[in-house]
Amino acid sequence: MAATDDTLHPDQDFQRFLAQGRFMIQRSRSSGRFNFPPRVAAPGSGTADLEWTEASGHGTLYAVTVVSRKPPSPGYSVCLVDLAEGPRVLARLEGVPPRHVPIGAPVRARILTEGQAPLLVFEPADAATSAGGATP
């Protein structure tokens, strides 16, 4: 398959989808495997048959660390989430105070805007349901 301009900038495509309020990940047509972060070719096989598909937004908290900032700015949590589709994603964790994050808890993706840039974050699944807001 010949590379098109779209396949050469998967990171820009991902950001564009976030700006549209959509959490998209790539899937290999030949293997059916989901891939993240966005890339030009499938890991392992090198095939360029990746297509964009909507992620469920569901995942499990795998690990977390707290980024401390100089007071009075509050710290924040950065997490690794195992998506229901398989890939592991690095993102910020919202809705839970730093140092009070339950590993193994179900989480849900949410897209928010900071400054003018869209940002993928995760929050506890029960908070995402009760918030009733911008979930994918």
Side-chain angles (χ1 to χ4, degrees):
M1 177 174 158
T4 65
D5 191 44
D6 288 342
T7 63
L8 298 178
H9 305 287
D11 51 337
Q12 292 173 7
D13 294 336
F14 178 71
Q15 288 298 316
R16 188 174 57 250
F17 288 129
L18 288 181
Q20 296 168 358
R22 301 169 66 200
F23 175 26
M24 304 288 283
I25 58 176
Q26 294 172 308
R27 185 181 76 75
S28 169
R29 287 185 202 104
S30 57
S31 72
R33 286 188 166 154
F34 291 93
N35 303 293
F36 195 89
R39 55 192 82 214
V40 174
S45 68
T47 60
D49 68 346
L50 299 176
E51 62 185 356
W52 288 101
T53 185
E54 191 107 22
S56 69
H58 297 280
T60 303
L61 190 61
Y62 176 81
V64 67
T65 190
V66 176
V67 176
S68 299
R69 298 192 296 187
K70 185 176 179 181
S73 297
Y76 60 94
S77 299
V78 176
C79 64
L80 286 171
V81 171
D82 287 334
L83 295 177
E85 293 84 357
R88 187 168 287 159
V89 177
L90 176 68
R92 199 165 71 198
L93 184 66
E94 299 278 310
V96 180
R99 301 185 192 354
H100 294 90
V101 182
I103 302 298
V107 292
R108 176 125 175 105
R110 184 166 63 96
I111 300 167
L112 56 87
T113 302
E114 276 197 358
Q116 302 219 346
L119 181 66
L120 178 67
V121 299
F122 285 86
E123 60 189 8
D126 56 351
T129 303
S130 62
T135 56

